[in-house]
Amino acid sequence: MEKKWWHKTVGYQIYPKSFQDTNGDGIGDLKGVIRHLDKIEKLGANVIWLCPVFASPMVDNGYDISDYMDIDPSFGTMEDMKELIEEAKKRGIRILMDLVVNHSSDRHAWFQAALKDPFGKYGKYYVFREGKDGKEPNNWRSIFGGSAWEKVPGYDNLYYLHIFTKEQPDLNWENQELREEIYEMILKWMDLGLGGFRLDAISHLKKNYQYTNLPPDGPDEYNMAFEYFNNVDGLADILREMKERTFAPTDALTIGEYDHMGPEDVEDVIGENGSFSSVFDFCHTLDNVRNPKWGNTVALFDDYRDQLFAAQKIVDGRGMLCNFLENHDKTRIIDRFLMPEDQNRYSEKMLPVTNFFLPGIVFLYQGQELGMRDNPKQSIQGFVDKPTFAIYDRLIAEGKTDAEALGQINRESREHSRTPMQWDASAEAGFTTGTPWFPVNKNYTELNYEAEEKDPDSLLWFYRKMVAVRRREDLEETFLYGMLIPEYETVSGVLAYRRKDEKNHILILTTSLADGMALPFADTIEEVILNNYDTCEAGEGTIRLQPYQCLVLKVKE
């Protein structure tokens, strides 16, 4: 594998709206990110992924872009963005922007022009089709619920495609002129000093336009025709062209939100000449200990372990996955992976170690290093995310009671990760001097950055140690390029693996067992590199793991 600068990525994802408000309007902004760059540097991160800050009407929290070359006023100005790029660079940190090119906002100038002339130049930038039998062109369902087609105002039988909300019309990637505009925009941003992009919904660019109705899969008579607009044949050609025209010449780090990468896709997607630097490993994202399917920490932990190793086997050293546990679309990991009775200072430190030293690059999410938690609501009206309400309505339509629907939303809502960052114990957790756009979790008076900074035994300090281990000069190459050897794969409650090369032999051991356990152990420990306890009990062919213990050990050959 040819070595690249981005192989050493320890990323930190920021949801700007909830990170730090500096002007009292209750919405986080770019100046707020700049204010805390020193803290991100101290954590050890060298890349920041910034969720969308482009101009947007915010129907989908910025994932509906109305101008690709401007910053939304709620976040600041282009000058603020340039300052952020420059200030981050001074600290050895590169900025990734969150780029959405599957669709635009319906407020984008292109779409506004398309509405005036659906058959003209800009109409070809989108997907317009005539309806059938007085209905939509077909019965595809939007990912956010309802039809994936919206009638064009002023026309009796013309519709446009939107696989997300109706305010997010899909761009037509079959159109070369559109592609050229997007490539030009990407190169302009790279000229400003970006490190690269996280590419949202990128596996949807290619559609299979067979406009026949599919068998309904719900009471709404629509079909979630995912295979018709996700990873469709021909997608690789589009992605390859985009890379060759924009990312390769600028040495950009690109991370795709790419669903369902099979063994046959690896070379095209993240191989040596693949379309992206990396893609997110989504294998664990449906695991939730509060789902009745699981009901206990150990059962979920075993499934999580098996999925991690299966994902690595698919890649098989041909590229680098992006390993993460939290992001802006998922619930917080302490509540997602651990039953309440299993949540303590040991288990909370054990969790991030499980995948942090696997092959690939790694990303943390704002507040993860503090152990921020979910924030359940007493009513559906406590949420603000439009798709959350769409999911709630669908659950009610499927026959669930209000309590059942709210219970599922509270268990799975992506809004749990969007509560404002908890900086200190002052009003509104130090996030804003005004009224926050979304309520702060009430636990902020005890759980906050300032309190953990003062406690060397806190989760924050443990994350710093963990990052420092991964980036330790004598170990980094092993974690980046060493062999992965799963260990104790059939032992319930244990997730363990080795990273090995000609320089080092590292054993990572974690357990989700409340009582701990003893394991057969033939290695000789050379160094205890990381430990969430003060002791490591090994000898006479056995190693004793304490409850929820995690160990990173350098062992002798």
Side-chain angles (χ1 to χ4, degrees):
M1 181 182 296
E2 182 183 352
K3 295 180 180 180
K4 304 281 189 179
W5 70 264
W6 55 264
H7 289 176
K8 298 183 178 184
T9 295
V10 175
Y12 188 83
Q13 182 192 355
I14 290 177
Y15 193 73
K17 194 173 183 179
S18 295
F19 194 63
Q20 179 69 69
D21 171 30
T22 62
N23 62 5
D25 66 357
I27 297 173
D29 45 50
L30 292 175
K31 287 186 180 295
V33 178
I34 295 169
R35 177 182 294 182
H36 295 293
L37 283 174
D38 288 343
K39 296 183 179 69
I40 297 170
E41 180 185 18
K42 189 173 182 179
L43 180 63
N46 59 353
V47 171
I48 289 173
W49 158 23
L50 204 62
C51 283
V53 292
F54 298 102
S56 169
M58 299 292 164
V59 171
D60 187 23
N61 299 286
Y63 286 90
D64 48 319
I65 298 172
S66 57
D67 189 336
Y68 287 100
M69 289 308 302
D70 200 6
I71 299 299
D72 194 85
S74 64
F75 297 123
T77 66
M78 276 294 289
E79 291 308 309
D80 293 334
M81 187 67 210
K82 293 174 183 177
E83 181 183 358
L84 172 60
I85 293 170
E86 185 60 31
E87 288 299 317
K89 182 180 178 181
K90 291 177 183 177
R91 295 162 174 82
I93 298 171
R94 305 200 196 201
I95 301 293
L96 302 189
M97 290 188 78
D98 207 331
L99 186 62
V100 190
V101 290
N102 173 72
H103 51 266
S104 75
S105 165
D106 62 350
R107 305 281 184 88
H108 196 289
W110 296 342
F111 191 69
Q112 290 297 304
L115 287 179
K116 293 176 182 177
D117 183 7
F119 306 101
K121 171 183 173 178
Y122 291 105
K124 294 181 176 64
Y125 280 26
Y126 296 89
V127 183
F128 289 92
R129 296 291 185 273
E130 290 188 351
K132 292 183 180 179
D133 303 321
K135 296 182 179 180
E136 302 95 334
N138 62 25
N139 68 338
W140 286 3
R141 182 188 297 111
S142 160
I143 290 172
F144 286 166
S147 175
W149 298 95
E150 182 71 12
K151 186 172 283 189
V152 179
Y155 290 82
D156 292 333
N157 193 36
L158 191 65
Y159 296 79
Y160 67 85
L161 178 68
H162 61 90
I163 64 171
F164 292 93
T165 71
K166 66 183 177 65
E167 294 88 358
Q168 295 168 286
D170 279 62
L171 291 164
N172 176 21
W173 274 80
E174 306 298 324
N175 184 282
Q176 183 69 41
E177 198 168 357
L178 165 76
R179 299 203 302 270
E180 294 296 335
E181 293 234 34
I182 291 174
Y183 301 158
E184 182 181 355
M185 173 269 295
I186 290 172
L187 291 171
K188 284 180 180 178
W189 274 109
M190 290 304 297
D191 284 344
L192 291 176
L194 281 188
F197 298 91
R198 178 262 187 183
L199 295 136
D200 180 75
I202 202 69
S203 59
H204 300 314
L205 298 192
K206 178 77 174 178
K207 276 79 173 179
N208 180 344
Y209 294 118
Q210 294 180 8
Y211 293 102
T212 55
N213 283 338
L214 300 169
D217 60 9
D220 59 4
E221 297 300 313
Y222 295 116
N223 184 292
M224 180 56 73
F226 212 60
E227 68 274 16
Y228 285 77
F229 49 74
N230 183 70
N231 200 12
V232 171
D233 287 346
L235 175 65
D237 295 331
I238 292 174
L239 298 179
R240 188 178 302 110
E241 180 185 85
M242 180 163 52
K243 175 195 174 181
E244 291 172 353
R245 295 289 302 279
T246 61
F247 304 139
T250 57
D251 197 22
L253 165 58
T254 56
I255 309 176
E257 185 187 30
Y258 191 98
D259 298 305
H260 311 303
M261 182 177 66
E264 70 280 2
D265 302 319
V266 172
E267 296 293 344
D268 281 340
V269 179
I270 58 170
E272 198 75 42
N273 297 304
S275 299
F276 307 115
S277 309
S278 183
V279 295
F280 290 99
D281 178 13
F282 290 114
C283 72
H284 58 81
T285 52
L286 295 180
D287 282 354
N288 190 317
V289 74
R290 290 175 289 166
N291 188 317
K293 176 182 179 181
W294 303 116
N296 73 82
T297 297
V298 176
L300 180 137
F301 195 80
D302 290 349
D303 181 74
Y304 165 61
R305 171 198 63 201
D306 296 345
Q307 291 196 73
L308 285 183
F309 291 151
Q312 289 289 338
K313 187 174 182 180
I314 286 173
V315 175
D316 194 27
R318 293 178 290 169
M320 286 194 170
L321 288 173
C322 183
N323 301 308
F324 74 102
L325 290 175
E326 287 189 2
N327 69 18
H328 66 292
D329 278 335
K330 300 306 300 179
T331 56
R332 294 290 186 174
I333 53 169
I334 292 173
D335 289 320
R336 181 154 48 100
F337 279 74
L338 299 170
M339 293 293 283
E341 61 269 23
D342 294 314
Q343 296 177 8
N344 56 55
R345 63 175 180 154
Y346 298 109
S347 59
E348 292 166 14
K349 292 174 181 177
M350 174 272 294
L351 271 180
V353 175
T354 55
N355 75 340
F356 198 75
F357 298 101
L358 286 172
I361 64 176
V362 292
F363 260 83
L364 307 174
Y365 178 70
Q366 66 181 49
Q368 179 182 339
E369 75 276 27
L370 305 180
M372 283 179 62
R373 307 297 179 84
D374 291 351
N375 192 19
K377 309 298 182 186
Q378 299 302 308
S379 163
I380 189 62
Q381 300 308 318
F383 294 97
V384 299
D385 189 29
K386 187 173 181 178
T388 298
F389 289 95
I391 294 169
Y392 175 82
D393 291 342
R394 174 175 58 80
L395 293 173
I396 294 296
E398 291 173 354
K400 285 185 167 53
T401 66
D402 176 76
E404 289 170 335
L406 181 62
Q408 184 167 334
I409 294 293
N410 273 328
R411 184 171 70 236
E412 300 173 355
S413 175
R414 64 185 188 172
E415 292 191 80
H416 290 308
S417 62
R418 301 180 182 187
T419 56
M421 186 74 170
Q422 296 166 207
W423 293 109
D424 56 43
S426 66
E428 306 300 355
F431 165 70
T432 181
T433 57
T435 301
W437 73 275
F438 196 46
V440 176
N441 194 316
K442 290 183 175 59
N443 66 9
Y444 78 88
T445 53
E446 293 83 31
L447 198 163
N448 61 71
Y449 186 96
E450 185 177 67
E452 295 197 29
E453 177 64 63
K454 295 175 181 177
D455 177 11
D457 194 40
S458 70
L459 187 61
L460 172 63
W461 280 83
F462 185 82
Y463 267 86
R464 288 173 180 160
K465 292 174 186 175
M466 183 177 70
V467 174
V469 167
R470 182 179 171 89
R471 301 189 70 189
R472 209 173 91 175
E473 187 174 356
D474 61 325
L475 303 176
E476 188 172 44
E477 292 273 312
T478 305
F479 291 132
L480 291 178
Y481 309 114
M483 290 187 298
L484 169 68
I485 307 170
E487 193 69 67
Y488 304 110
E489 289 182 83
T490 60
V491 180
S492 184
V494 173
L495 195 165
Y497 52 94
R498 299 175 188 270
R499 301 302 313 279
K500 189 176 178 181
D501 61 12
E502 65 279 1
K503 294 180 180 178
N504 297 299
H505 185 173
I506 311 297
L507 174 62
I508 294 91
L509 283 167
T510 67
T511 181
S512 61
L513 295 173
D515 297 325
M517 71 180 311
L519 290 170
F521 187 74
D523 293 285
T524 300
I525 298 173
E526 188 173 318
E527 180 186 359
V528 179
I529 301 170
L530 187 67
N531 187 0
N532 60 345
Y533 279 79
D534 294 330
T535 60
C536 174
E537 300 178 13
E540 299 182 356
T542 300
I543 188 166
R544 171 72 190 178
L545 297 180
Q546 302 300 313
Y548 315 106
Q549 189 165 20
C550 63
L551 290 164
V552 178
L553 306 172
K554 185 174 183 180
V555 298
K556 292 182 179 179
E557 288 295 326

